[in-house]
Amino acid sequence: MNNDNYNNREKDQRIKDSTIASLDSRFNQTLRNVQGFLKGRSIPGKILLTRRSDPLDNSNSKGNLPNHERSFSYNETGTSDHTTEAVEEEVLNTSKPIGITNVNKLKMSTLHIENTSKEVQKSSMGARATDSARVMKFTQALSGSTVDQLNFSLVEIGLHLSLAIPLEIYFVEKLRELAWSGVPDSMRPTVWRLLLGYAPPNSDRREGVLRRKRLEYLDCVSLYYDIPDTERSDDEINMLRQIAVDCPRTVPDVTFFQQQQVQKSLERILYTWAIRHPASGYVQGINDLVTPFFVVFLSEYLEGGIDNWSMSDLSSDKISNIEADCYWCLSKLLDGMQDHYTFAQPGIQRLVFKLKELVRRIDEPVSRHMEDQGLEFLQFAFRWFNCLLIREIPFHLVTRLWDTYLAEGDALPDFLVYIFASFLLTWSEKLQKLDFQELLAEKAIVLSGNVFP
Amino acid sequence: MASRRRMLLKVIILGDSGVGKTSLMNQFVNRKFSNQYKATIGADFLTKEVQFEDRLFTLQIWDTAGQERFQSLGVAFYRGADCCVLVYDVNVMKSFDNLNHWREEFLIQASPSDPENFPFVVLGNKIDVDGGNSRVVSEKKAKAWCASKGNIPYFETSAKEGFNVEAAFQCIAKNALKNEPEEEVYLPDTIDVSGGGRQQRSTGCEC
């Protein structure tokens, strides 16, 4: 491990610089990517998975991971060379969102010789692994330690030393890069905990830290939640009441969430979080934001699909661990978005403004049309930002979308702006034919079913 | 262009979280009740055609979020409203106590041209719950409050059973319509904030 602080700082700065430099083109890519997936009428997961799967490589590594279900994306890739889809494919092809791509590229370039015409893009964007190869990479990155704790290849270690990047930072960045295009189900809980900085990258310390954090959550619950109302302030009673009203109507279309125990768990997590975050307290919609964490961390303990899950199969210890993980991960997620939920929600107002500006600059006609119709961005985009699109896409796709969110890390708020802009731009022509009422109704439709059948 | 442009009436539904605003709107528009509604974030809206004295109107109903935190959004949603519906749950005292707050908040944020005469309608919802046994706000009490605020029309409803919902919205539409001509007079005041042509369209001024 390199302990030279100066070097590290310099390195960090360099990473930062290159990130900023690539930001523009990255957003550009992202934009077209999301458009791509909208046109592809499928989930975001396929954006970055298309085309890369060269059949040879695919068949070689398939045997390793029988459970991985990404096959839907291969269907798309089969047609990728047809002229009609060529442009879109090219865009999909070159997408590579995260900073440290060069490292990855070294490894990947042997697997994939790009045949895209965009030479420039290629050099900076690197190649994309096939599904199974990617699962292998996740497995490698996450599996138990042998020689070195993080189980990187010698090449990577050498690389890390020569670049003087601290191993742990490198590890998380690498994970981030992989996770952006989707995390295999079985690894999602671990990966999410790492990406959010809840679990430490150092696997030797991981269990200990988690144990401590989970105990801390338990303490909070007994301190704040498990007390009589007489010991609560009026505001706290109101907040608890609001949470109790919202828990039964959280993801009501998924029967699992109707279980009493599930709602109780959500209530404990949300109330504890709210008490510990007095600047915002509980805001409606945050109940939605716990749910992806809840199902992902439950999936470590419960078999099969969510429709067959029962909370009563779990010991109270396990439930409390799951709640703790949800609590901490929610906290980590919202740490970067605090002012989205404080009084007057300035963070969301700001993003809505950015979205409006962005759309105006990219697509003046649709922007003017909305203005002519008296449609305000706040009227439709507020909920998108407040609930991070959970309301707008089918629940079973949410965790996949969140892989990308969590990979974005601190850049998530801006990333959201670009996702939403690409929604509007994708439907620009259609939207321009609609009047105010149709527009509002249409946007609800665009985001709730039509696009994601 | 159609020979008769349909007039658009904008209605805003306000009230505490969980009193049944979304359910009332859906019961009226779709004649359906569901216990699967999610908490409203920001606001949702639905439209319905209503007929009055041989004329067709489009009722644009805005269903708002009940949590206080979202009230800063009010301006974006309240503006241009022709009628404001205040909803409380007859089984929850606090939701009734808050009616005054909701009314004042609306008047501040929507700043209608004639606040004294702006049409409100009050609905006491969920009268079906527990056969009426869990009720804590009496009809008398509710009516007294309505009378004190300039004789606001009052209805007791059950969105779940569809009871009195149609009648309530007929009254809402009628009151919204009464408000509409005045709106036209004060049109300049309303436009300069939004900068948009919605009011113009909604008042059918091109005909």
Side-chain angles (χ1 to χ4, degrees), chain A residues 23 27 70 107 115 124 149-150 167 171 176 184 201 210 213-214 243 276 282 321 353-354 357 385 391 442 450:
Chain A
L23 217 59
F27 276 143
R70 269 284 155 56
K107 258 187 95 180
N115 43 12
S124 66
Q149 56 183 2
L150 298 170
L167 197 54
F171 169 70
R176 221 173 262 296
L210 291 184
K213 291 278 194 182
R214 286 164 179 168
I243 291 168
R276 299 257 291 180
Y282 171 74
N321 284 351
F353 179 77
K354 276 190 190 176
E357 277 304 297
F385 285 113
R391 298 285 185 96
E442 187 65 29
N450 271 6

Side-chain angles (χ1 to χ4, degrees), chain A residues 31-42:
Chain A
L31 208 60
R32 282 184 282 168
N33 287 342
V34 183
Q35 275 187 289
F37 89 70
L38 283 169
K39 284 177 187 156
R41 293 166 302 278
S42 184

Side-chain angles (χ1 to χ4, degrees), chain A residues 238 241-242 246 249 252-253 280 282-285 341-345 349 371-372 374 376 378-379 382-383 386-387 391 436-437 440, chain B residues 8 17-18 36-45 47 58 60 62 65-67 69-70 72-73 76-77 79 94 196-198 201:
Chain A
N238 277 337
R241 190 182 297 142
Q242 180 71 66
D246 287 348
R249 35 182 198 169
D253 40 338
S280 68
Y282 171 74
V283 176
Q284 290 187 306
Y341 301 100
T342 50
F343 176 74
Q345 303 186 258
Q349 301 268 0
E371 207 166 296
D372 288 347
E376 290 184 41
L378 208 58
Q379 288 170 339
F382 181 81
R383 190 177 65 197
N386 194 78
C387 304
R391 298 285 185 96
F436 176 82
Q437 293 180 57
L440 268 183
Chain B
L8 190 123
S17 194
Q36 292 205 345
Y37 294 124
K38 301 170 186 178
T40 305
I41 306 295
D44 282 330
F45 92 123
T47 57
T58 301
Q60 186 185 82
W62 288 79
Q67 198 186 10
R69 182 57 44 88
F70 297 117
S72 56
L73 290 173
F77 296 109
R79 196 187 302 131
K94 198 162 186 308
R198 187 173 78 241
R201 270 162 213 277

Side-chain angles (χ1 to χ4, degrees), chain A residues 73-310:
Chain A
S73 66
Y74 292 137
N75 298 337
E76 301 280 333
T77 64
T79 60
S80 62
D81 285 328
H82 295 311
T83 46
T84 45
E85 290 181 51
V87 176
E88 184 184 330
E89 273 305 320
E90 208 165 87
V91 172
L92 299 178
N93 222 351
T94 51
S95 52
K96 192 70 175 186
I98 299 298
I100 308 187
T101 50
N102 292 336
V103 174
N104 195 30
K105 185 176 172 269
L106 287 177
K107 258 187 95 180
M108 308 296 295
S109 55
T110 53
L111 299 177
H112 304 289
I113 308 302
E114 297 90 347
N115 43 12
T116 157
S117 57
K118 290 193 174 176
E119 283 299 325
V120 185
Q121 296 279 17
K122 199 169 57 180
S123 65
S124 66
M125 294 302 176
R128 165 82 22 200
T130 63
D131 289 351
S132 16
R134 291 188 58 252
V135 176
M136 258 171 66
K137 288 168 73 67
F138 270 107
T139 315
Q140 272 171 13
L142 294 172
S143 63
S145 57
T146 46
V147 180
D148 76 282
Q149 56 183 2
L150 298 170
N151 206 17
F152 287 137
S153 72
L154 287 174
V155 176
E156 285 172 311
I157 298 294
L159 211 73
H160 130 70
L161 288 174
S162 67
L163 293 174
I165 303 170
L167 197 54
E168 296 199 349
I169 291 182
Y170 172 59
F171 169 70
V172 174
E173 284 310 309
K174 185 177 169 60
L175 204 56
R176 221 173 262 296
E177 184 192 336
L178 283 170
W180 203 92
S181 356
V183 181
D185 290 345
S186 61
M187 298 168 184
R188 191 169 277 132
T190 307
V191 172
W192 281 19
R193 280 192 285 258
L194 287 165
L195 288 179
L196 284 161
Y198 165 44
N202 182 331
S203 60
D204 291 341
R205 288 176 48 229
R206 207 172 292 161
E207 272 314 304
V209 169
L210 291 184
R211 205 175 312 121
R212 193 164 45 76
K213 291 278 194 182
R214 286 164 179 168
L215 281 175
E216 196 181 328
Y217 168 76
L218 264 186
D219 287 346
C220 287
V221 169
S222 56
L223 196 60
Y224 302 119
Y225 181 82
D226 292 332
I227 56 170
D229 275 356
T230 48
E231 290 178 30
R232 298 185 214 277
S233 71
D234 284 354
D235 282 350
E236 287 167 357
I237 288 174
N238 277 337
M239 198 153 68
L240 186 55
R241 190 182 297 142
Q242 180 71 66
I243 291 168
V245 165
D246 287 348
C247 284
R249 35 182 198 169
T250 301
V251 206
D253 40 338
V254 174
T255 45
F256 170 74
F257 283 96
Q258 295 307 304
Q259 291 176 32
Q260 198 72 41
Q261 280 172 290
V262 174
Q263 296 177 4
K264 269 292 155 198
S265 281
L266 293 181
E267 189 175 299
R268 267 192 297 269
I269 299 165
L270 288 168
Y271 184 74
T272 309
W273 181 87
I275 289 289
R276 299 257 291 180
H277 295 80
S280 68
Y282 171 74
V283 176
Q284 290 187 306
I286 294 180
N287 58 327
D288 292 270
L289 302 186
V290 199
T291 58
F293 295 125
F294 200 67
V295 294
V296 164
F297 295 132
L298 266 174
S299 73
E300 285 184 294
Y301 300 96
L302 294 172
E303 303 270 308
I306 189 170
D307 295 333
N308 301 316
W309 286 357
S310 168

